[in-house]
Amino acid sequence: MNRTLACKDRAPEVITALLRRARTGSVRDTLANLGAYVFRDGRLVDSVSALSRDSAQSTERRTRYLELLASYVDCHAAVDDYPGWQNRLLILAATTGQCGAHYEQPLPRDVRARAHAAITWMGAHDPDAQLRELSRRVAEQISDTRD
């Protein structure tokens, strides 16, 4: 992963392939998620947006993509999708974990807007009703955190 991240030209392509194909819970899956959080780049945001729209991806993976997109919009945002989220007023938690010195934050406004648009799309079109509602609420709440 270190070599992948060092190669800025190919990193989005490699990370996207891992996100798409790695078996859930595997080492590759863990590395793909880590890489997606660490490598802040408009191309990767666009790739994660495309994956979030792919109904062939499992609901679990699309939920992960929602979490990634939220962190791309606001590096302080973490989606609280733990059981009972439907009854909580706020489903975004503030975190400092995604805003460390190694992260290139904030992303440019237009890139953050594209990530927000993908979340909004999920809130209107995701095939899973619960993920659709979670996405809708994230899109609504995260818009208040963007500058």
Side-chain angles (χ1 to χ4, degrees):
M1 186 52 67
N2 284 338
R3 279 189 264 149
T4 297
L5 294 174
C7 181
K8 297 200 182 290
D9 291 338
R10 299 241 13 241
E13 174 187 337
V14 172
I15 292 168
T16 301
L18 283 172
L19 286 171
R20 182 183 299 116
R21 296 184 191 122
R23 190 177 74 247
T24 302
S26 68
V27 172
R28 286 183 178 182
D29 185 50
T30 300
L31 290 173
N33 286 308
L34 178 62
Y37 276 107
V38 171
F39 192 79
R40 305 291 206 192
D41 181 276
R43 296 167 297 165
L44 186 57
V45 171
D46 294 338
S47 294
V48 171
S49 296
L51 288 171
S52 72
R53 290 177 170 92
D54 182 0
S55 61
Q57 296 288 311
S58 69
T59 301
E60 180 181 1
R61 284 187 184 268
R62 291 193 320 276
T63 301
R64 185 175 334 129
Y65 304 146
L66 168 66
E67 294 166 352
L68 280 168
L69 290 166
S71 77
Y72 295 153
V73 174
D74 180 353
C75 65
H76 295 285
V79 177
D80 177 5
D81 63 342
Y82 291 99
W85 66 263
Q86 300 89 336
N87 300 321
R88 288 192 282 280
L89 183 59
L90 296 175
I91 56 168
L92 285 180
T95 179
T96 57
Q98 306 307 322
C99 300
H102 299 292
Y103 298 89
E104 298 173 18
Q105 280 291 338
L107 285 166
R109 181 182 284 275
D110 65 314
V111 174
R112 289 182 290 143
R114 293 195 314 262
H116 189 265
I119 295 169
T120 302
W121 186 93
M122 289 179 75
H125 302 287
D126 194 87
D128 182 83
Q130 282 198 336
L131 182 52
R132 192 169 51 244
E133 176 61 14
L134 180 65
S135 300
R136 184 193 66 73
R137 290 184 58 196
V138 168
E140 181 181 279
Q141 291 178 20
I142 206 164
S143 65
D144 295 338
T145 64
R146 296 187 308 147
D147 61 341

